[in-house]
Amino acid sequence: MTTGPRPLTPRGERTRSALISAARTVFERDGFRDSRLTDITAEANCATGSFYTYFDSKEDILDAVLAEAQEDMLHPGLPHVEPSSDDDPTAVIEAANRAYFEAYRRNAQLMLVREQVAGLSPEFRETRRRRAQVFTERNAKRIRELQTRGLADPDLDPMQAARALSGMVSRMAYYGFALGDELDMDEMVFTATRLWVNAIGLRRPD
């Protein structure tokens, strides 16, 4: 799925960004199925014809909206979630879980839209799978590093463990924020972190 050529002028960049912001507002308000391109362009205060300078379809701009949300969730701006060898591994996992939950909460309404569209479109399901794989591979890398340091169960397959644990945390966030179960943030972080630590057999460094 493409998001059209990147505009080359500052004005074009502003228009494209305005369309993406407007699309997010409309999708979160109306859902994907009931949203119209004219709603998006009206929200962005630009002509309908301008839309096609940057995007091919409603699906195309949704992909751009979701790409921005993933960037927020993958890189939420907390430097300590990129661990060094001197960090306490449990504290790193806790910080990463908290950062993910907070980013998910910011994007919860959009995650509902993503679920709606993924259920209807094989193309979006594949896009969702590829984006989830980015999180899985990052977590697998961390598990592998801990195994190398002798701090995690060496018998675990890092990718399989990361897939299971990433899915657990994602589902916790979905119920807690997208479906509105009103779960306490600190309890969610504690539970997710304890399950992570226990699942990989994490040991404190000497």
Side-chain angles (χ1 to χ4, degrees):
M1 187 171 296
T2 63
T3 56
R6 293 289 295 176
L8 299 178
T9 67
R11 180 180 179 182
E13 291 281 1
R14 289 193 298 270
T15 301
R16 185 178 185 276
S17 295
L19 284 165
I20 292 173
S21 178
R24 175 169 182 155
T25 297
V26 172
F27 289 145
E28 290 181 337
R29 184 187 69 210
D30 301 335
F32 181 78
R33 183 178 295 176
D34 294 332
S35 298
R36 300 175 300 174
L37 293 184
T38 52
D39 298 328
I40 294 171
T41 53
E43 181 72 24
N45 195 28
C46 71
T48 301
S50 298
F51 178 91
Y52 293 102
T53 301
Y54 309 101
F55 302 100
D56 295 330
S57 63
K58 189 168 71 168
E59 290 79 6
D60 197 16
I61 196 169
L62 175 61
D63 190 60
V65 172
L66 291 172
E68 286 197 354
Q70 180 180 21
E71 186 66 17
D72 177 34
M73 295 169 71
L74 190 63
H75 304 291
L78 294 178
H80 52 275
V81 302
E82 294 297 334
S84 73
S85 60
D86 297 327
D87 289 328
D88 175 1
T90 300
V92 171
I93 293 170
E94 181 180 25
N97 283 334
R98 184 176 295 278
Y100 178 81
F101 284 143
E102 289 176 348
Y104 197 105
R105 182 166 57 183
R106 291 193 295 271
N107 293 283
Q109 286 300 112
L110 188 59
M111 294 301 99
L112 283 174
V113 176
R114 184 189 68 177
E115 294 296 318
Q116 176 190 45
V117 179
L120 299 173
S121 167
E123 185 177 12
F124 261 94
R125 282 198 294 276
E126 174 59 19
T127 300
R128 180 188 172 189
R129 186 197 67 78
R130 290 199 308 269
R131 287 179 173 152
Q133 187 72 3
V134 175
F135 289 91
T136 299
E137 289 174 355
R138 184 178 69 176
N139 288 332
K141 178 183 176 183
R142 291 177 177 172
I143 292 171
R144 195 174 294 113
E145 289 169 350
L146 291 169
Q147 289 173 322
T148 300
R149 295 168 59 191
L151 302 179
D153 184 349
D155 294 330
L156 284 176
D157 179 272
M159 279 297 295
Q160 293 296 337
R163 186 172 289 113
L165 291 166
S166 299
M168 173 195 72
V169 174
S170 176
R171 187 53 57 173
M172 287 178 68
Y174 180 67
Y175 278 100
F177 304 121
L179 297 186
D181 277 0
E182 298 183 357
L183 303 179
D184 179 78
M185 173 68 80
D186 290 337
E187 290 181 1
M188 290 177 66
V189 172
F190 172 82
T191 301
T193 302
R194 179 62 63 87
L195 291 173
W196 247 92
V197 166
N198 290 345
I200 67 173
L202 185 65
R203 296 179 289 281
R204 289 186 178 275
D206 296 330

